[in-house]
């Protein structure tokens, strides 16, 4: 924080007014970087693409992004788990949550996903699965992130049960 304050030509005390912890500053920087990188992707449903194919493509891009940012990812993911408040009144999430919500709502409208839960609720579940996969991958270096994401998508779509519920 001292180095950042010096670079920004502000006191450390001033910096802590805006960022109560160094992880909060890390969150801001990584999410701005992520937002810029996401803006370069075509995050609309691919023409004729299913939920699975679209989310798999996005997660593949995410895996590549995460592999390039591993130095800062573990403290970021831990901080997100501690501070994540999926409340509509909280500050706007510049991460993937808004995209998950849109993707799920579109899939529900197409009849690909059950519509008995709000898209925002399902997006929060999906986001926690996403963060959990990242935490697991960062903690067990021999894991392949793309394989972990594929397992996550299957789990989300098929659930933990052997019986798929239609409604």
């Amino acid at each position: 924080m001292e180095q950042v304050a010096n670079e920004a030509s502000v006191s450390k005390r001033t910096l802590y007014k805006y960022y109560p912890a160094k992880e909060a500053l890390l969150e801001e920087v990584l999410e701005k970087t992520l937002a810029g990188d996401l803006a370069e992707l075509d995050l609309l449903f691919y023409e004729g693409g299913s939920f699975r194919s679209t989310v798999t493509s996005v997660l593949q891009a995410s895996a590549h992004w995460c592999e390039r940012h591993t130095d800062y990812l573990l403290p970021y993911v831990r901080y997100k788990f501690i501070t994540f408040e999926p409340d509509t009144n909280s500050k706007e999430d510049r991460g993937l949550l808004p995209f998950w919500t849109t993707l799920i709502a579109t899939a529900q409208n197409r009849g690909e996903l059950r519509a008995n839960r709000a898209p925002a609720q399902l997006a929060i579940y999906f986001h926690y699965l996403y963060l959990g996969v990242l935490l697991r991958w960062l903690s067990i270096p021999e894991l392949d992130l793309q394989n972990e994401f594929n397992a996550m998508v299957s789990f989300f779509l098929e659930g933990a049960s052997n019986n798929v519920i239609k409604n």
Side-chain angles (χ1 to χ4, degrees):
M1 290 296 271
E2 192 168 319
Q3 289 174 330
V4 171
N6 287 337
E7 283 289 320
S9 300
V10 298
S11 71
K12 200 161 83 169
R13 183 176 176 181
T14 299
L15 192 58
Y16 275 109
K17 283 183 182 179
Y18 295 98
Y19 304 101
K22 62 185 174 189
E23 292 82 4
L25 177 58
L26 177 62
E27 174 187 38
E28 181 83 16
V29 171
L30 277 182
E31 288 189 359
K32 279 187 178 181
T33 302
L34 176 60
D37 292 346
L38 285 174
E40 294 177 14
L41 291 176
D42 180 11
L43 293 182
L44 299 175
F45 248 99
Y46 301 124
E47 190 64 34
S50 66
F51 175 84
R52 184 184 291 269
S53 66
T54 302
V55 79
T56 298
S57 295
V58 171
L59 289 171
Q60 184 177 20
S62 177
H64 294 303
W65 189 90
C66 290
E67 288 164 352
R68 290 190 316 269
H69 296 88
T70 55
D71 292 347
Y72 306 107
L73 209 50
L74 185 58
Y76 167 78
V77 171
R78 286 180 176 156
Y79 184 74
K80 286 303 278 187
F81 265 117
I82 293 168
T83 62
F84 183 63
E85 293 183 29
D87 178 7
T88 56
N89 297 325
S90 65
K91 75 173 189 168
E92 183 180 329
D93 190 321
R94 289 178 306 275
L96 287 167
L97 186 59
F99 173 67
W100 301 145
T101 304
T102 301
L103 187 64
I104 288 167
T106 303
Q108 286 177 324
N109 289 336
R110 289 181 169 184
E112 292 181 75
L113 296 177
R114 297 181 339 188
N116 64 339
R117 297 279 187 253
Q121 180 185 13
L122 292 178
I124 290 165
Y125 294 163
F126 193 83
H127 197 60
Y128 272 119
L129 287 171
Y130 176 79
L131 291 173
V133 165
L134 287 178
L135 191 57
R136 178 174 151 76
W137 171 70
L138 289 163
S139 302
I140 306 171
E142 61 271 10
L143 293 178
D144 178 87
L145 184 54
Q146 188 60 55
N147 288 340
E148 294 296 306
F149 280 148
N150 290 340
M152 178 193 88
V153 170
S154 291
F155 180 81
F156 181 79
L157 290 175
E158 298 158 18
S161 173
N162 287 330
N163 302 316
V164 178
I165 301 170
K166 295 286 182 188
N167 292 320

